């Protein structure tokens, strides 16, 4: 979207999204913050409103910029993004342009709607993928034999070529995808989600009934570390996600992207993005660390933080 999230001041988008996320998590987990009146007082008392306001500034800026750009292109009769292959080089519309094309009375997407979509996509897609990439590289640094296997797979497809992966080639990176899934099993970067029950639900095993209207928290971290689903659940074993083992388990034994009709809308894009990112890093560099899996200390919030950081060194493969 042509916006550098790192070129930010203290009150930048990244910081505001982080604080806003903490507020959402606090509200969901602290019963005394449930009543609207108390929550509003709490926001005012600690001057949290400014963070909410500031989160709006990035999408406002991005939308304004895109509008000007499109108007300029229209004026100069320059072709904008199109999904139609009309014999010339195919050029795809970006997300923002697609949303703005829907900004008419018929489809009913207002500027306010577009702004909300931009916030949702950036907030939902940024931290999750960047954190998963970081966890994955750290795990591969901790387990060099697994890293070698990933590298061999990449090399078997691209050899010494400098060309980027094509989409078809990424479908052959089967072991790397197992590694990404196993990373998300141990470290689901979105560690909690909620559902409000639309009907009474009976939990057969415990003979309990949860009444309609109950808000239930779902915690992938707990499901993913259940030894009945994953033997040796605390160890890093990408073979948990080979085709045979996946076929043996219930589909909701892996819920890093949630489940049901409101699961993660960006799952396929996120997996493809991480596959490309990691394969690109690993074909050029090897990663190393002195850390062990047992050294990792987790902090559960709206995202899953590794409080000891990601101490990795990288070495160019060409200098070996
Ligand atoms: C490693 C990557 C990602 C992980 C682990 C992840 C995880 C999740 C989870 C657990 C949910 C809640 C699902 C539920 O309640 O059942 C969710 C929802 C969502 N995610 Fe992701 N996500 C990732 C990447 C992305 C990306 C790249 C985007 C956008 C480009 C995105 C956009 C969204 C949106 C918009 C929702 C809300 C969907 C709805 O409420 O209908 N996510 N994600």
């Amino acid at each position: 979207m042509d916006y550098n999230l790192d070129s930010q001041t203290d009150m930048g988008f990244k910081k505001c999204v982080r604080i806003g996320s903490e507020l959402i998590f606090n509200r969901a987990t602290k019963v005394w913050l449930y009543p609207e009146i108390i929550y509003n007082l709490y926001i005012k008392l600690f001057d949290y409103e400014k963070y909410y306001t500031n989160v709006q500034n990035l999408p406002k800026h991005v939308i304004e910029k895109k509008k000007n750009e499109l108007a300029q292109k229209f004026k100069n009769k320059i072709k904008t993004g199109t999904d139609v292959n009309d014999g010339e080089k195919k050029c795809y519309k970006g997300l923002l342009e697609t949303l703005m094309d829907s900004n008419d009375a018929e489809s009913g997407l207002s500027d306010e709607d577009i702004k909300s979509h931009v916030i949702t996509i950036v907030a939902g897609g940024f931290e999750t993928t960047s954190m998963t990439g970081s966890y994955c590289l750290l795990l591969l640094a901790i387990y060099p034999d697994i890293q070698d296997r990933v590298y061999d797979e990449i090399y078997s497809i691209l050899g010494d070529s400098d060309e980027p992966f094509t989409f078809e080639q990424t479908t052959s990176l089967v072991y790397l995808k197992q590694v990404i899934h196993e990373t998300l099993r141990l470290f689901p970067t979105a560690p909690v989600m909620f559902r409000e029950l639309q009907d009474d639900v009976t939990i057969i095993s415990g003979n309990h009934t949860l009444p309609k209207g109950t808000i239930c928290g779902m915690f992938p971290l707990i499901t993913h570390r259940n030894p009945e689903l994953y033997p040796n659940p605390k160890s890093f074993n990408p073979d948990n996600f080979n085709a045979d083992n996946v076929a043996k388990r219930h589909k909701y034994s892996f819920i890093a992207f949630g489940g049901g009709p409101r699961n993660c809308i960006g799952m396929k894009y996120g997996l493809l993005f991480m596959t490309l990112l990691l394969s690109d890093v690993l074909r050029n560099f090897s990663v190393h660390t002195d850390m062990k899996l047992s050294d990792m200390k987790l902090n559960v919030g709206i995202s899953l933080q590794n409080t000891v950081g990601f101490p990795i060194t990288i070495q160019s493969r060409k200098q070996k």
Side-chain angles (χ1 to χ4, degrees):
M1 288 193 296
D2 199 16
Y3 194 86
N4 185 358
L5 288 177
D6 287 320
S7 68
Q8 291 288 304
T9 58
D10 270 1
M11 274 297 288
F13 185 75
K14 265 202 303 195
K15 181 177 176 183
C16 296
V17 166
R18 187 174 48 74
I19 292 176
S21 305
E22 280 168 17
L23 278 173
I24 296 170
F25 188 75
N26 278 348
R27 187 164 196 199
T29 51
K30 292 185 171 58
V31 178
W32 57 272
L33 285 179
Y34 283 11
E36 205 70 26
I37 186 162
I38 296 188
Y39 186 66
N40 288 341
L41 266 172
Y42 169 77
I43 294 280
K44 280 222 158 30
L45 199 66
F46 292 97
D47 197 21
Y48 279 132
E49 229 158 24
K50 62 175 186 265
Y51 296 105
Y52 282 133
T53 316
N54 237 38
V55 167
Q56 321 277 328
N57 289 344
L58 169 70
K60 258 192 216 154
H61 165 90
V62 171
I63 291 168
E64 229 19 76
K65 200 165 169 224
K66 192 73 185 175
K67 266 188 184 164
N68 292 339
E69 192 185 299
L70 290 178
Q72 199 62 35
K73 281 187 173 165
F74 184 74
K75 203 170 131 202
N76 298 334
K77 298 200 172 77
I78 298 174
K79 213 170 147 201
T80 58
T82 166
D83 284 345
V84 183
N85 188 350
D86 58 4
E88 295 170 33
K89 195 168 178 264
K90 198 168 181 176
C91 83
Y92 292 97
K93 266 182 208 168
L95 171 77
L96 192 54
E97 209 171 320
T98 308
L99 286 173
M100 287 171 84
D101 271 3
S102 317
N103 186 4
D104 53 41
E106 212 177 300
S107 63
L109 267 193
S110 65
D111 270 9
E112 201 53 33
D113 293 333
I114 294 179
K115 197 177 76 187
S116 301
H117 281 306
V118 170
I119 295 175
T120 309
I121 297 289
V122 176
F126 175 70
E127 179 122 332
T128 44
T129 42
S130 56
M131 290 287 285
T132 306
S134 306
Y135 278 113
C136 203
L137 286 175
L138 181 57
L139 286 164
L140 290 174
I142 295 174
Y143 296 97
D145 48 332
I146 296 178
Q147 185 180 167
D148 286 347
R149 204 170 144 188
V150 171
Y151 178 73
D152 290 346
E153 182 179 70
I154 295 170
Y155 193 82
S156 73
I157 297 168
L158 287 184
D160 290 319
S161 154
D162 283 334
E163 291 295 309
F165 270 99
T166 62
F167 177 73
E168 283 69 30
Q169 284 169 329
T170 64
T171 58
S172 304
L173 290 166
V174 178
Y175 190 65
L176 175 57
K177 284 187 189 134
Q178 285 178 216
V179 167
I180 296 172
H181 278 87
E182 178 67 350
T183 303
L184 278 165
R185 178 186 73 79
L186 276 177
F187 304 105
T189 42
V192 55
M193 56 203 118
F194 297 95
R195 292 288 189 275
E196 183 176 340
L197 299 184
Q198 301 298 299
D199 291 299
D200 290 356
V201 170
T202 303
I203 299 181
I204 301 165
S205 57
N207 199 18
H208 301 298
T209 299
L210 304 176
K212 177 181 171 176
T214 306
I215 295 179
C216 299
M218 298 183 294
F219 300 90
L221 204 55
I222 295 175
T223 308
H224 291 177
R225 292 180 184 222
N226 179 345
E228 285 176 24
L229 299 171
Y230 299 94
N232 302 320
K234 288 185 181 164
S235 56
F236 180 61
N237 175 18
D239 285 334
N240 277 325
F241 287 90
N242 67 30
D244 285 348
N245 285 331
V246 170
K248 280 186 217 150
R249 286 190 304 264
H250 191 280
K251 70 172 178 172
Y252 289 144
S253 57
F254 178 75
I255 49 169
F257 293 99
R262 291 300 294 270
N263 75 339
C264 174
I265 202 172
M267 176 172 76
K268 284 194 177 160
Y269 167 77
L271 284 172
L272 180 63
F273 173 78
M274 287 183 293
T275 306
L276 285 171
L277 174 84
L278 292 164
S279 57
D280 217 31
V281 170
L282 294 165
R283 70 195 279 209
N284 292 305
F285 303 97
S286 55
V287 285
H288 310 267
T289 189
D290 292 331
M291 215 169 132
K292 293 191 256 352
L293 187 57
S294 53
D295 295 334
M296 278 156 100
K297 303 266 175 294
L298 299 180
N299 184 18
V300 177
I302 205 118
S303 67
L304 187 68
Q305 305 287 337
N306 173 21
T307 56
V308 290
F310 298 90
I312 298 170
T313 54
I314 59 171
Q315 189 185 338
S316 168
R317 290 192 185 271
K318 291 195 182 103
Q319 285 167 7
K320 257 187 179 176

